[in-house]
Amino acid sequence: MGSGGWVLVLFHIFIHAFTVGLTVAQPDFPGYLCLDTGNYTQDSVYRKNLDDLLFTLSTKATSFSNFSSGQTPDVANAIALCRGDVDPDTCRRCVDDSTRKLRQLCPYQKEVIGYYDDCMVRYSNRSIFGIMETAPSGYLLNVYSAPHVVPFNKALISLLEKLQGEAATGGGSTRMFATGKTVGPDNLTIYGLVQCTPDISGPQCSSCLGTAIAVYPSCCGGKIGGRVLSPSCYFRYEIVAFYNETLADAPPPAAPPALHAEVRRKNATWIVPVTVSTLTAAVVAILVLFVYRWHGRNQKRKG
């Protein structure tokens, strides 16, 4: 590999370091939402049921878990979904941390949803099992754009649609999950991951991911990394490998048949912007400029 190749590799690693620092190493969730659908009080029956529910969830969580506690009208329902490529210990730690932090971030809301890199946790006082929901939705994105936006978008959308089909065929398993990669402009490798909660059907998973992918051009078009998040599914992509390829390719364990239902809710889009310091932006900008100037001089020499 020539010196130009090494510069590009270092450039990708450099971007990866900032991406991880911005979207992973946060004291709280990269994305969470306290829904305005009702509150509970400190001494309410719902509070007790929620305490019992989240304790059960934090101690018994698996790759996909759904539990209930109490009776209507004070029933508490929860879902935990771990990313398909994380090991059981990482999954349990993520869910346990989520149950504690969501209570701190949304102390009296009856309905809450939060996303870490490795897991998603949501709870509610209404039925949420076997119900495909695309709202509320939100997104995270890297602030930097790909060198050639149009071919980058085309390559990414093609990859996500392929993964959409693969995940949708996982109905009835504990992982409606797929990963893959493709080569974009300038031989840039694009890595993608999609996942649905496995309590919905394959067609519902495909529909959910299709809705999420349709959001991409308006939220994250041309950015080198991003995620679109919804209650029943999400996708993520980066220009560096961010998932465990060995565990991602492992065969999924069997699961009970999923319940099927539909619900319509008013969409409430939420956005968690990723920001960088002025120094970080300056350093990355200088590095990008160096790469492209080097590339230009190298092309002139070849000409």
Side-chain angles (χ1 to χ4, degrees), residues 20-284:
V20 171
L22 291 167
T23 62
V24 179
Q26 298 289 334
D28 295 312
F29 292 91
Y32 71 93
L33 185 65
C34 311
L35 282 166
D36 187 20
T37 57
N39 296 336
Y40 62 87
T41 58
Q42 193 76 12
D43 58 352
S44 65
V45 175
Y46 182 81
R47 166 64 187 267
K48 180 184 182 302
N49 290 337
L50 184 61
D51 288 343
D52 293 342
L53 173 68
L54 296 184
F55 175 78
T56 300
L57 195 66
S58 65
T59 55
K60 297 183 178 181
T62 58
S63 57
F64 173 70
S65 308
N66 51 9
F67 296 106
S68 296
S69 178
Q71 302 296 323
T72 305
D74 300 302
V75 64
N77 302 300
I79 283 175
L81 175 69
C82 289
R83 211 171 72 186
D85 63 316
V86 302
D87 61 80
D89 288 340
T90 300
C91 175
R92 281 189 292 269
R93 286 195 300 269
C94 185
V95 172
D96 177 60
D97 193 58
S98 298
T99 58
R100 290 183 290 104
K101 285 188 175 177
L102 282 176
R103 296 294 295 276
Q104 297 168 7
L105 295 166
C106 310
Y108 298 109
Q109 280 77 18
K110 288 185 176 181
E111 187 165 1
V112 174
I113 184 167
Y115 296 88
Y116 270 128
D117 269 16
D118 294 330
C119 69
M120 177 272 286
V121 171
R122 60 184 296 216
Y123 56 82
S124 177
N125 63 323
R126 64 181 180 85
S127 177
I128 56 175
F129 305 145
I131 299 174
M132 191 274 281
E133 297 186 73
T134 58
S137 62
Y139 60 85
L140 297 164
L141 71 157
N142 192 300
V143 296
Y144 296 103
S145 296
H148 304 288
V149 170
V150 173
F152 182 90
N153 287 346
K154 183 178 180 180
L156 174 61
I157 292 294
S158 178
L159 171 64
L160 291 176
E161 289 177 344
K162 173 179 175 289
L163 298 179
Q164 172 189 1
E166 292 177 7
T169 62
S173 78
T174 57
R175 290 196 318 172
M176 300 180 81
F177 169 81
T179 61
K181 58 189 175 182
T182 190
V183 177
D186 292 343
N187 290 320
L188 192 68
T189 302
I190 308 170
Y191 299 84
L193 179 152
V194 304
Q195 188 166 19
C196 298
T197 58
D199 58 331
I200 63 176
S201 68
Q204 287 175 322
C205 175
S206 180
S207 176
C208 184
L209 288 171
T211 300
I213 294 168
V215 173
Y216 166 77
S218 59
C219 79
C220 323
K223 301 301 182 183
I224 61 173
R227 317 177 203 186
V228 173
L229 311 165
S230 69
S232 294
C233 69
Y234 72 97
F235 73 79
R236 178 182 176 184
Y237 72 94
E238 307 281 355
I239 61 168
V240 289
F242 61 92
Y243 52 82
N244 185 316
E245 294 188 71
T246 301
L247 292 178
D249 292 336
L259 300 172
H260 306 310
E262 292 288 349
V263 65
R264 294 182 180 179
R265 300 182 57 213
K266 183 178 180 181
N267 187 32
T269 301
W270 48 279
I271 303 169
V272 186
V274 178
T275 59
V276 294
S277 68
T278 302
L279 177 61
T280 298
V283 172
V284 174

